[in-house]
Amino acid sequence: MPFGNTHNNYKLNYKVEEEFPDLRKHNNHMAKVLTKEIYGKLRDKQTPSGYTLDDVIQTGIDNPGHPFIMTVGCVAGDEESYEVFKDLLDPVISDRHGGYKPTDKHRTDLNFENLKGGDDLDPNYVLSSRVRTGRSIKGFTLPPHNSRGERRAIEKLSIEALNSLDGEFKGKYYPLKSMTDAEQEQLINDHFLFDKPVSPLLTCAGMARDWPDARGIWHNENKTFLVWVNEEDHLRVISMQLGGNMREVFRRFCVGLKRIEEIFKQHNRGFMWNEHLGYILTCPSNLGTGLRGGVHVKLPKLSTHAKFEEILTRLRLQKRGTGGVDTASVGGVFDISNADRLGSSEVEQVQLVVDGVKLMVEMEKKLEKGEAIDSMIPAQK
Amino acid sequence: MPFGNTHNQLKLKFSSADEYPDLSKHNNHMAKVLTPDMYERLRSKQTPSGFTLDDVIQTGVDNPGHPFIMTVGCVAGDEETYDVFSELLDPIIEDRHGGYKPTDKHKTDIEASNLKGGDDLDSNYVLSSRVRTGRSIRGFCLPPHCSRGERRAVETLSIEALASLSGDLNGKYYALKNMTDAEQQQLIDDHFLFDKPVSPLLLASGMARDWPDARGIWHNDNKTFLVWVNEEDHLRVISMQKGGNMKEVFNRFCTGLTKIESLFKERGHAFMWNEHLGYVLTCPSNLGTGLRAGVHVKLPNMSKHAKFEEVLKRLRLQKRGTGGVDTAAVGGVFDISNADRLGFSEVELVQMVVDGIKLLVEMEKRLEKGESVEDLIPAQK
């Protein structure tokens, strides 16, 4: 892979016009923002670990657009990417995160007690509840850029930390490369197993290199708390269970996350975080809380209502298919989650999901009875 | 993408053992040769353009093995790769090219009149004949490593050179990114169109970056001579036609190639060539002549004969499916071509195909009549 310092200097022998990517058929955040001027200004720069502008934008060049969602089209290779390439990333962040300004401050709130309600979403409609986030370990480069040595060090630290967990969090680590067939089968049945990325959005950014080396899955014995190691981020932390008790899911999420952070700190390792961008992750779309709190919910009637999209927008929620970000919904069951990541806290975002899903289930019930829902349409949150 | 000089320095902070890839499940030429000691000696090196050891081997790390053929598992990023990393590449070249030694000299012979016969392969069996090779333009990095500016410069030079061809070789260039639907359909119907690589062997080495920028197809009006620009190599030159007149295919091949080379030289650009490795191409398997001469031939009986593989081996031929290198045969029709690339001249390799196919067709006819082929089994060439 070519885009390091020496080759970067080599490329400077060519003019900006000659190196500037052809983005005329592209529709992603990077393509909307990157002008020849910005390219010219940033192309001779690199982060301390050697990440360059072409590294940042390669995935956006290789993937012109996505049918279901507006993709970001750029990634960070390390914590410093967000600083060195801010001329590109600040406007992308602003565009993606509802006008978030370079001077704005982000709030972190992982006190689950601050959540109101959330323990009574109707399980006849809400099939499952889940909260996930990501964490990056300070001092290492990120998945698009890291070497095998770095990735293995991250895995080792993570295993140590996770093995210290006890009580409801006591669990076990399954490295992808030494998984038995039986373990693999079980993890698939539990819907836990993550596989080598096939999405070109991820593979073009270099995140799948050396697969499955130093990748693995840890989960607690109860199968309600799960950590992915070295997939799209250093760590992805997931709390989930069947049914509609989002409150319990969020409690476990917050408690577990805090325990993990404490253990890392005991080993002199912090998570990447700053007061402007919150938690630093590989994709600019996951900055801030990195949190996606969501449910799988049956909304066969509401989803065909003319105002469904509008309602979701006003509730600051987004829909996905139940297969994840690149999929379509099946059988009227949708994955509904918070749309925001940056500029509001974890509690605030989960609150939006809890309140919003409660409302939509009420609307679904009304529509089942053939009643109108116009009076229930919410104002913009 | 990480593997440039600065990031290479960062990686050196980890021990060689920490960075050495896990090749325990791998079966390719690179995995057979790369020891931890060798990795340690080569990991701090880079070519003048910044290609490093990890760049060379990434595709082999990401692709443990292939069901149909023993893959090479490494690529060159520029001409100097074969020198800077000769400690790794010389043994691979030796293993892949029948014991070719670092001190051996390669013969180039594209004088078509030196081919004996080849104009009378039976068209009832030989459906089509084709000869291809690759050429790299000296002074530019190769497809795994080149920047957009370099790739576009290669395209511009190629278009100029090809536009000067005339007579039987008069033709037109179709840039992949500007192709109309009609042009695309025609090129597909002619079996000329190459698409964005899907093979993970190619994707993992970075050859598909920025697709379809600066990629294109040139062909003559008669549709018998075709040049691919910026696919797996800078240029792939192909001569083909239906039926069994391999002599005519090879004549056109040599004439066209010689003309193209002189047109490039007029513009101050040579092809990458040296007297040890012959023509220098991206994949070490294509060194020497870079030539694959083959036919699509019906051998439904012969292919089921117990000695089919043995016969091919002795004739120094290899079989593929008719979809190309990663495919299986369909309906008893095989793509049969020379197995060698380096250490034999172009004329010698095409001679082996011509003589070998003639023999295989005779054997097929014998088997059709229920007769034995034992007396026809050749000695090892």
Side-chain angles (χ1 to χ4, degrees):
Chain A
M1 299 295 154
F3 302 113
N5 174 245
T6 309
H7 194 245
N8 209 36
N9 291 336
Y10 198 74
K11 281 185 278 179
L12 297 176
N13 290 327
Y14 289 82
K15 301 200 282 278
V16 172
E17 298 72 53
E18 287 165 337
E19 288 292 349
F20 186 71
D22 182 351
L23 301 171
R24 289 170 299 164
K25 295 195 176 122
H26 287 59
N27 179 41
N28 55 52
H29 285 293
M30 180 278 291
K32 284 171 71 180
V33 167
L34 184 68
T35 59
K36 284 207 179 97
E37 289 67 41
I38 293 177
Y39 188 81
K41 190 173 171 200
L42 296 178
R43 71 177 188 132
D44 59 353
K45 302 201 186 316
Q46 55 165 353
T47 65
S49 78
Y51 208 60
T52 65
L53 177 65
D54 278 333
D55 292 329
V56 173
I57 66 176
Q58 189 66 53
T59 181
I61 298 171
D62 290 344
N63 296 289
H66 193 274
F68 294 146
I69 62 182
M70 174 75 156
T71 47
V72 176
C74 53
V75 289
D78 50 25
E79 192 165 7
E80 295 83 352
S81 295
Y82 288 102
E83 192 42 52
V84 173
F85 300 108
K86 63 200 331 295
D87 284 348
L88 168 70
L89 295 175
D90 279 351
V92 168
I93 287 167
S94 181
D95 206 10
R96 178 61 174 212
H97 295 284
Y100 196 76
K101 295 188 297 298
T103 46
D104 285 338
K105 300 275 178 274
H106 172 79
R107 281 188 305 286
T108 293
D109 181 2
L110 288 163
N111 294 311
F112 68 91
E113 276 138 358
N114 292 342
L115 182 72
K116 299 191 197 40
D119 53 354
D120 62 349
L121 298 174
D122 188 341
N124 291 310
Y125 294 84
V126 179
L127 307 178
S128 59
S129 307
R130 178 185 188 264
V131 180
R132 67 86 158 153
T133 190
R135 290 293 185 264
S136 307
I137 305 171
K138 217 172 165 67
F140 292 102
T141 61
L142 297 171
H145 193 46
N146 58 19
S147 69
R148 285 180 294 275
E150 286 185 290
R151 210 184 290 115
R152 290 163 177 172
I154 290 162
E155 186 193 33
K156 197 151 178 265
L157 279 165
S158 303
I159 294 174
E160 263 190 65
L162 295 166
N163 281 344
S164 325
L165 295 173
D166 60 4
E168 63 174 319
F169 296 106
K170 189 163 159 51
K172 186 178 166 185
Y173 183 70
Y174 302 85
L176 251 56
K177 73 175 173 180
S178 41
M179 214 172 267
T180 66
D181 285 345
E183 286 170 341
Q184 184 170 298
E185 193 58 36
Q186 188 59 56
L187 286 164
I188 290 173
N189 292 339
D190 292 329
H191 304 287
F192 281 175
L193 186 64
F194 67 93
D195 210 350
K196 180 171 179 175
V198 292
S199 167
L201 300 175
L202 299 182
T203 55
C204 291
M207 291 184 221
R209 287 171 301 118
D210 313 313
W211 203 275
D213 198 304
R215 274 82 166 192
I217 293 167
W218 178 97
H219 70 77
N220 66 351
E221 285 163 12
N222 297 337
K223 297 185 181 179
T224 53
F225 193 76
L226 164 66
V227 178
W228 290 353
V229 178
N230 285 321
E231 195 236 11
E232 184 185 330
D233 285 292
H234 290 165
L235 300 173
R236 281 288 177 97
V237 178
I238 302 152
S239 171
M240 60 200 263
Q241 65 193 52
L242 293 173
N245 193 345
M246 181 61 94
R247 187 179 186 76
E248 172 63 14
V249 169
F250 189 54
R251 180 204 65 78
R252 188 185 311 114
F253 175 82
C254 293
V255 173
L257 209 43
K258 283 201 179 146
R259 293 241 179 108
I260 292 171
E261 185 161 17
E262 269 159 34
I263 298 172
F264 268 97
K265 278 193 179 145
Q266 284 164 23
H267 290 89
N268 284 321
R269 292 281 174 187
F271 290 148
M272 291 182 198
W273 181 93
N274 68 53
E275 59 172 10
H276 167 51
L277 294 178
Y279 288 102
I280 303 283
L281 295 178
T282 300
C283 183
S285 70
N286 282 322
L287 291 165
T289 60
L291 185 143
R292 197 171 89 82
V295 298
H296 283 188
V297 57
K298 286 197 268 201
L299 299 172
K301 299 208 151 18
L302 184 58
S303 59
T304 51
H305 192 282
K307 294 228 171 99
F308 183 48
E309 301 281 346
E310 177 63 23
I311 290 165
L312 287 172
T313 302
R314 291 188 186 196
L315 292 174
R316 308 195 74 85
L317 299 176
Q318 67 171 207
K319 71 182 197 310
R320 299 180 182 193
T322 52
V325 68
D326 287 2
T327 67
S329 84
V330 175
V333 181
F334 287 81
D335 177 316
I336 305 283
S337 61
N338 54 297
D340 304 308
R341 302 271 185 276
L342 178 63
S344 51
S345 73
E346 288 82 355
V347 167
E348 285 167 339
Q349 288 167 8
V350 178
Q351 192 70 64
L352 284 167
V353 175
V354 159
D355 296 347
V357 171
K358 200 161 190 182
L359 178 63
M360 287 195 292
V361 169
E362 275 185 56
M363 289 170 141
E364 180 71 20
K365 288 173 174 172
K366 278 265 182 106
L367 291 171
E368 273 173 24
K369 290 187 272 182
E371 294 168 17
I373 56 166
D374 294 313
S375 60
M376 297 168 76
I377 308 240
Q380 177 66 54
K381 287 196 173 290
Chain B
M1 301 295 155
F3 302 112
N5 175 245
T6 309
H7 194 245
N8 211 34
Q9 300 302 321
L10 189 87
K11 280 186 279 178
L12 295 176
K13 293 193 181 143
F14 289 83
S15 73
S16 185
D18 282 338
E19 289 291 347
Y20 181 73
D22 180 351
L23 301 172
S24 53
K25 295 197 176 114
H26 287 58
N27 179 42
N28 56 51
H29 284 291
M30 180 278 291
K32 283 172 72 179
V33 166
L34 184 69
T35 61
D37 287 341
M38 189 187 284
Y39 185 81
E40 183 153 23
R41 282 192 292 275
L42 294 178
R43 73 181 189 126
S44 58
K45 299 192 188 313
Q46 58 165 354
T47 66
S49 77
F51 208 61
T52 64
L53 177 65
D54 279 331
D55 293 327
V56 174
I57 66 174
Q58 189 65 55
T59 181
V61 173
D62 288 346
N63 296 287
H66 192 275
F68 294 147
I69 61 183
M70 174 76 156
T71 48
V72 177
C74 53
V75 290
D78 50 25
E79 193 165 7
E80 296 82 352
T81 300
Y82 288 101
D83 214 66
V84 173
F85 301 106
S86 60
E87 195 186 333
L88 168 70
L89 295 173
D90 280 352
I92 289 175
I93 289 168
E94 186 164 344
D95 203 8
R96 178 61 175 213
H97 294 284
Y100 195 77
K101 295 189 297 298
T103 47
D104 284 339
K105 299 277 178 272
H106 172 78
K107 286 186 302 287
T108 293
D109 179 3
I110 37 177
E111 182 50 63
S113 57
N114 291 340
L115 182 71
K116 301 189 196 42
D119 53 356
D120 61 349
L121 299 173
D122 188 340
S123 327
N124 291 311
Y125 294 84
V126 179
L127 307 177
S128 60
S129 307
R130 179 183 187 266
V131 180
R132 67 86 160 151
T133 189
R135 291 291 185 263
S136 307
I137 304 171
R138 186 160 273 163
F140 295 98
C141 295
L142 298 172
H145 194 47
C146 65
S147 70
R148 284 179 295 277
E150 288 184 289
R151 208 184 291 114
R152 289 163 178 173
V154 166
E155 187 193 34
T156 300
L157 277 167
S158 303
I159 292 174
E160 258 192 64
L162 294 166
S164 318
L165 294 173
S166 61
D168 175 49
L169 298 175
N170 192 59
K172 185 177 167 189
Y173 182 71
Y174 302 85
L176 248 57
K177 72 175 175 182
N178 297 336
M179 214 171 266
T180 65
D181 286 345
E183 286 169 339
Q184 184 170 298
Q185 194 53 55
Q186 188 59 57
L187 287 164
I188 290 172
D189 294 340
D190 292 329
H191 305 286
F192 281 176
L193 186 65
F194 68 91
D195 210 348
K196 180 171 180 175
V198 293
S199 167
L201 300 174
L202 298 183
L203 295 176
S205 68
M207 290 184 221
R209 288 170 300 120
D210 313 313
W211 202 274
D213 198 303
R215 272 81 167 194
I217 293 167
W218 178 98
H219 70 78
N220 65 350
D221 299 332
N222 296 338
K223 298 185 181 178
T224 52
F225 193 75
L226 164 65
V227 178
W228 291 353
V229 178
N230 286 320
E231 195 237 11
E232 183 185 331
D233 285 292
H234 288 165
L235 301 173
R236 282 288 178 97
V237 178
I238 301 151
S239 172
M240 59 200 264
Q241 66 194 50
K242 293 243 191 291
N245 194 344
M246 182 59 95
K247 189 169 189 61
E248 188 168 81
V249 170
F250 190 54
N251 283 351
R252 188 185 309 113
F253 176 81
C254 294
T255 304
L257 211 43
T258 307
K259 284 231 172 85
I260 291 171
E261 184 160 17
S262 60
L263 289 166
F264 269 95
K265 279 197 178 139
E266 278 168 31
R267 287 158 178 79
H269 290 278
F271 290 149
M272 291 183 196
W273 182 94
N274 65 59
E275 58 172 11
H276 167 52
L277 294 178
Y279 289 101
V280 176
L281 295 177
T282 301
C283 182
S285 70
N286 282 323
L287 291 165
T289 60
L291 184 142
R292 194 171 89 84
V295 297
H296 283 187
V297 57
K298 286 197 267 200
L299 299 172
N301 291 297
M302 188 60 210
S303 59
K304 297 205 205 75
H305 192 282
K307 295 228 172 102
F308 184 47
E309 303 280 347
E310 179 62 24
V311 169
L312 286 175
K313 218 159 161 220
R314 292 188 185 193
L315 293 173
R316 308 192 75 87
L317 300 177
Q318 67 170 205
K319 71 183 198 308
R320 298 181 182 193
T322 52
V325 67
D326 288 357
T327 66
V330 175
V333 182
F334 287 81
D335 177 316
I336 307 279
S337 61
N338 53 294
D340 302 301
R341 303 270 185 275
L342 177 64
F344 297 89
S345 74
E346 287 81 355
V347 167
E348 285 168 339
L349 294 177
V350 179
Q351 193 69 65
M352 280 189 240
V353 174
V354 159
D355 297 346
I357 293 297
K358 207 159 182 180
L359 179 64
L360 285 166
V361 168
E362 267 189 66
M363 289 169 126
E364 179 69 23
K365 288 173 176 175
R366 284 270 192 100
L367 292 170
E368 270 172 27
K369 290 186 273 180
E371 292 168 16
S372 149
V373 294
E374 288 304 312
D375 60 305
L376 292 178
I377 308 246
Q380 176 66 53
K381 286 198 173 292

